[in-house]
Amino acid sequence: MNVSHRFDAIIIGAGAAGMMCAAVAGQRGCRVLLIEHYTKLGEKIRISGGGRCNFTNLHCRPENYISDNPDFCRSALARYRPADFVALVERHGIGYHEKARGQLFCDGSATQIVAMLERECASGGVEWRMPCEVEGLHNPGERFVVSTAQGEFIAPALVIATGGLTVPKIGASPFGYRIAAQFGLAVVPPQPALVPLTFDAELLIRFGSLAGISLECEVRCGGGRFRDHLLFTHRGLSGPAILQISSYWQPGDALEIDLLPALDLQAWLTGQRGSRQRLDNLLASVWPKRLALAWCEMNGCAQPLNQLSDKRLREIASGIRNWRVVPSGTQGYNKAEVTRGGVDTRELSSKTMTSLRVPGLYFIGEVVDVTGHLGGFNFQWAWASGHAAGHALALAR
Ligand SMILES: Cc1cc2nc3c(=O)[nH]c(=O)nc-3n(C[C@H](O)[C@H](O)[C@H](O)COP(=O)(O)OP(=O)(O)OC[C@H]3O[C@@H](n4cnc5c(N)ncnc54)[C@H](O)[C@@H]3O)c2cc1C
């Protein structure tokens, strides 16, 4: 016999946003059910930040997020700040440290964050079904009916927290986008983001031998601009600067890269104008040697500086400061850290994350068209949007 179980809210997806939302709503008196289809809980948290989870960023601002509707994230981020999550982490006695630029990591292991969220859910009396596949979902009247192999669950509120498409082997699915489509809500087309970029065969012949070289650069594309490290790989480009700019890159776009942002290159080269030193040797004093040799060979400029005209030196400086390269693609969802795009925020209330058209239907976390920069911003969005929805669920009860 198919027994129906009633809750105040059903949350689908027990990742960062889903667990935060469940804990907040549960602790405020809601009877909450959390449904997860994967065999393990918070798996993306566990693998994040190299196993140490970069769980927030102290300098989190709306400007650190990309969305078709850039102001949408303001309200939730203002009501649940990095300091709020840090206070939670401290209450649970989890050691942490700042690595760089406001990025906070666990001293021990990311599993401590998963365990902390589990304890928070337990203290809110949250019920679980895991692993549990959702087989059907409908919305007759003012309630949602979720059918699963473990029974039918009914609630007046349904929260979709199923994340994006990144790393499908640990549970990612297009479920959230499908539910949005089922209810006629717009979705900004998803794309891999924070992802290494690839070169075509021709570029690989030229630059493939540079694999392993890392250097500081400034990269610009599509309105984004980042100064950080770039890494040449056997498939193209990676490193934090490239991961960041990949969130702004569209197929066909050129990246504009300054390969020596710390120097006034033109003045530096002109200052050595009469020198008998070869240009590749001079560049090797500020670049990895392998890059200096290869760059000068590719550009036919390995001569002594006193054999290079002012015009040629200007061209060389400009080539290094404005290297234009068109990647052929990205390494896709298996290597991406997040999914850009998602449920169109114009469909949602920025205060509660509820659908403006379907009462009681909420979307939180990465499934929403809000994508953070690298450095703890994506988790902060998951916590903040989960917290906003959790609060709203308790108020609506
Ligand atoms: C390798 C890696 C490292 C990262 N490191 C960091 C970092 O250090 N700092 C940072 O800020 N961000 C990091 N991120 C990004 C961050 O993990 C995500 O932005 C964040 O987890 C999003 O939270 P979420 O709850 O929206 O989605 P998720 O955490 O992805 O959770 C979604 C959950 O829904 C479940 N689900 C999916 N479909 C269904 C379905 N049909 N039925 C039931 N359940 C379903 C999934 O199994 C998953 O448990 C990293 C991502 C990756 C891939």
Side-chain angles (χ1 to χ4, degrees), residues 23-347:
V24 169
Q27 289 171 15
R28 284 158 184 76
C30 284
R31 196 169 166 227
V32 178
L33 174 69
L34 196 44
I35 298 177
E36 167 62 49
H37 73 159
Y38 193 59
T39 48
K40 291 182 199 150
L41 192 62
E43 197 52 3
K44 213 173 268 175
I45 301 174
R46 189 186 63 77
I47 64 164
S48 69
R52 290 233 162 109
C53 187
N54 176 194
F55 55 77
T56 192
N57 192 300
L58 294 173
H59 310 310
C60 183
R61 292 149 50 100
E63 291 72 27
N64 296 115
Y65 294 86
I66 303 163
S67 170
D68 270 13
N69 181 13
D71 285 333
F72 178 83
C73 61
R74 283 182 184 276
S75 172
L77 290 174
R79 284 179 298 133
Y80 193 81
R81 295 176 183 273
D84 296 311
F85 195 77
V86 169
L88 184 63
V89 165
E90 287 178 352
R91 273 208 303 283
H92 284 258
I94 300 172
Y96 63 91
H97 59 278
E98 181 178 346
K99 204 164 170 184
R101 306 181 196 188
Q103 302 168 14
L104 299 189
F105 286 76
C106 297
D107 290 343
S109 158
T111 55
Q112 293 174 287
I113 300 291
V114 181
M116 175 188 87
L117 292 167
E118 258 185 288
R119 286 196 294 273
E120 286 290 310
C121 285
S123 83
V126 173
E127 287 189 41
W128 304 83
R129 293 294 183 282
M130 186 186 92
C132 177
E133 207 64 57
V134 174
E135 293 166 348
L137 196 163
H138 54 285
N139 177 219
E142 291 177 350
R143 65 208 164 103
F144 294 87
V145 179
V146 179
S147 313
T148 77
Q150 297 186 32
E152 195 172 75
F153 304 102
I154 299 176
L158 177 69
V159 182
I160 306 299
T162 46
L165 298 172
T166 47
V167 202
K169 66 174 186 269
I170 56 165
S173 83
F175 183 86
Y177 312 130
R178 283 214 292 267
I179 298 303
Q182 178 180 334
F183 287 97
L185 309 186
V187 172
V188 176
Q191 294 175 42
L194 298 182
V195 63
L197 298 173
T198 53
F199 283 165
D200 62 15
E202 196 189 323
L203 282 175
L204 275 184
I205 288 170
R206 294 180 65 199
F207 298 107
S209 63
L210 301 180
I213 291 176
S214 165
L215 74 161
E216 197 192 25
C217 76
E218 184 180 285
V219 57
R220 302 174 295 275
C221 181
R225 173 192 285 255
F226 296 93
R227 185 160 166 178
D228 209 322
H229 277 78
L230 166 154
L231 174 71
F232 287 90
T233 74
H234 289 292
R235 296 197 55 193
L237 295 175
S238 188
I242 296 301
L243 298 182
Q244 296 277 32
I245 209 67
S246 72
S247 301
Y248 291 81
W249 181 81
Q250 295 293 341
D253 284 353
L255 304 181
E256 288 173 20
I257 306 179
D258 180 346
L259 289 165
L260 259 175
L263 262 188
D264 180 346
L265 186 59
Q266 175 74 48
W268 186 62
L269 290 181
T270 309
Q272 323 269 338
R273 175 77 185 78
S275 162
R276 277 186 288 183
Q277 188 178 21
R278 285 164 56 104
L279 180 62
D280 48 5
N281 286 334
L282 179 70
L283 283 174
S285 66
V286 288
W287 259 359
K289 184 164 187 192
R290 207 148 54 92
L291 176 63
L293 296 180
W295 186 272
C296 288
E297 194 189 318
M298 272 186 261
N299 292 285
C301 58
Q303 298 96 314
L305 278 123
N306 61 8
Q307 292 178 20
L308 294 165
S309 66
D310 280 343
K311 179 167 174 280
R312 185 74 183 112
L313 283 178
R314 273 199 303 277
E315 282 168 9
I316 292 163
S318 164
I320 290 174
R321 301 220 52 179
N322 301 292
W323 181 40
R324 279 176 66 83
V325 62
V326 182
S328 58
T330 76
Q331 284 199 26
Y333 288 114
N334 283 324
K335 297 288 177 196
E337 210 166 275
V338 283
T339 303
R340 194 187 160 175
V343 176
D344 194 323
T345 57
R346 285 160 287 221
E347 300 281 7

